[in-house]
Amino acid sequence: MKSQIGRILNSVARPLGLQVIRHRPDGWRTLKEIGHIDTVIDIGVASGTPLLYEAFPDARLILIDPCAETALLTNECLRGRSTEFLNFAVGSLSGKISINVDKGKLSRTSVLQRTALTERNTEFEERQVEMETLDELLKNYNLGKALLKIDTEGYELEVLKGGVESLNRIKFVLAEVSVSSRFIGSYRFEELINYMSNSGYQVRSILSAPKNNEGTIRYVDALFVRN
């Protein structure tokens, strides 16, 4: 069954020719077990993350995405909530960067080129956008008890490298972590896990680990908690 936010997202996305991503509900439903969260920071919003927003209905939302289309999709479904949209790519450095925007499915937008494992015959648009570090974007926010979600299609480690100070203020990190080689020049699975460990986090749970038709796990949605 689709969530209320999911239904609204779909109604807004169809006229724009966009497809809304649907996360598997199994492990994502357990996010509510975390308890109260003051601030949710969603990096790589794409077409929205309904299960995340519904898990924490009272949390302030800071949505960060380089695609302006994202604001159109999320404004309607999050009407009445404390929400701020920041139109940036996020990485380890500040400046201009080129991204590859999937014109039909924003969730496949990435800074990186895809490997043969994940490439598809789809139309991409190359855009120059502003990139900023997480530390710079969040420096003036009082986050309280915060959860950071990152889904940047192979660029997750670069996002974390630009958030050294921010990670000291964030209790939970929910990240899509590549297991297979999905993007050219991306990190290895163990690199990201080790980085999080060295930053004072441990894996709390794996929310989902979808398999392809060959039974291969290409990525997992991992929830980290700060020690």
Side-chain angles (χ1 to χ4, degrees):
M1 181 182 294
K2 294 178 186 175
S3 67
Q4 180 179 0
I5 292 178
R7 288 194 294 271
I8 296 173
L9 278 171
N10 273 281
S11 67
V12 176
R14 285 193 210 97
L16 298 174
L18 297 171
Q19 179 181 349
V20 174
I21 188 170
R22 297 183 181 86
H23 286 290
R24 286 167 172 78
D26 45 11
W28 281 73
R29 301 291 185 193
T30 66
L31 282 173
K32 297 178 181 179
E33 297 173 4
I34 288 174
H36 177 77
I37 290 290
D38 296 302
T39 307
V40 170
I41 306 120
D42 188 352
I43 299 179
V45 181
S47 53
T49 319
L51 290 177
L52 179 63
Y53 311 149
E54 291 175 342
F56 310 107
D58 300 320
R60 172 181 55 174
L61 303 176
I62 302 174
L63 311 181
I64 310 174
D65 197 278
C67 296
E69 296 95 323
T70 291
L72 296 174
L73 287 169
T74 55
N75 280 346
E76 180 64 28
C77 71
L78 297 174
R79 191 179 301 279
R81 288 200 58 168
S82 176
T83 307
E84 184 170 355
F85 178 73
L86 306 179
N87 192 198
F88 289 94
V90 185
S92 57
L93 300 171
S94 301
K96 293 278 190 180
I97 196 165
S98 179
I99 62 173
N100 305 295
V101 180
D102 189 318
K103 302 193 72 173
K105 192 173 183 181
L106 291 180
S107 61
R108 287 177 56 81
T109 296
S110 179
V111 171
L112 304 173
Q113 297 287 336
R114 293 181 175 273
T115 65
L117 184 67
T118 58
E119 66 181 0
R120 294 183 182 177
N121 185 21
T122 187
E123 182 181 359
F124 284 89
E125 173 192 341
E126 186 174 338
R127 293 184 193 173
Q128 287 288 317
V129 298
E130 292 288 341
M131 173 174 280
E132 193 52 88
T133 66
L134 186 60
D135 282 344
E136 184 64 25
L137 291 172
L138 298 182
K139 66 180 182 181
N140 294 323
Y141 286 94
N142 179 13
L143 300 176
K145 185 181 178 183
L147 181 146
L148 168 66
K149 170 250 167 181
I150 313 172
D151 181 354
T152 50
E153 297 294 275
Y155 214 62
E156 290 80 15
L157 184 54
E158 293 303 306
V159 172
L160 292 166
K161 287 179 178 179
V164 175
E165 296 300 324
S166 299
L167 288 177
N168 291 326
R169 302 193 290 140
I170 291 170
K171 180 65 175 177
F172 297 97
V173 175
L174 169 56
E176 180 181 278
V177 185
S178 291
V179 176
S180 304
S181 179
R182 303 162 64 213
F183 301 91
I184 298 172
S186 187
Y187 58 86
R188 298 189 307 276
F189 177 78
E190 60 270 23
E191 285 183 287
L192 191 141
I193 299 299
N194 288 338
Y195 187 90
M196 290 301 290
S197 177
N198 292 334
S199 298
Y201 286 80
Q202 64 184 20
V203 175
R204 185 181 191 271
S205 57
I206 301 297
L207 301 188
S208 66
K211 298 179 181 179
N212 62 10
N213 294 334
E214 290 75 42
T216 300
I217 296 175
R218 295 182 178 180
Y219 68 89
V220 297
D221 293 321
L223 180 64
F224 301 85
V225 60
R226 183 160 51 83
N227 295 331

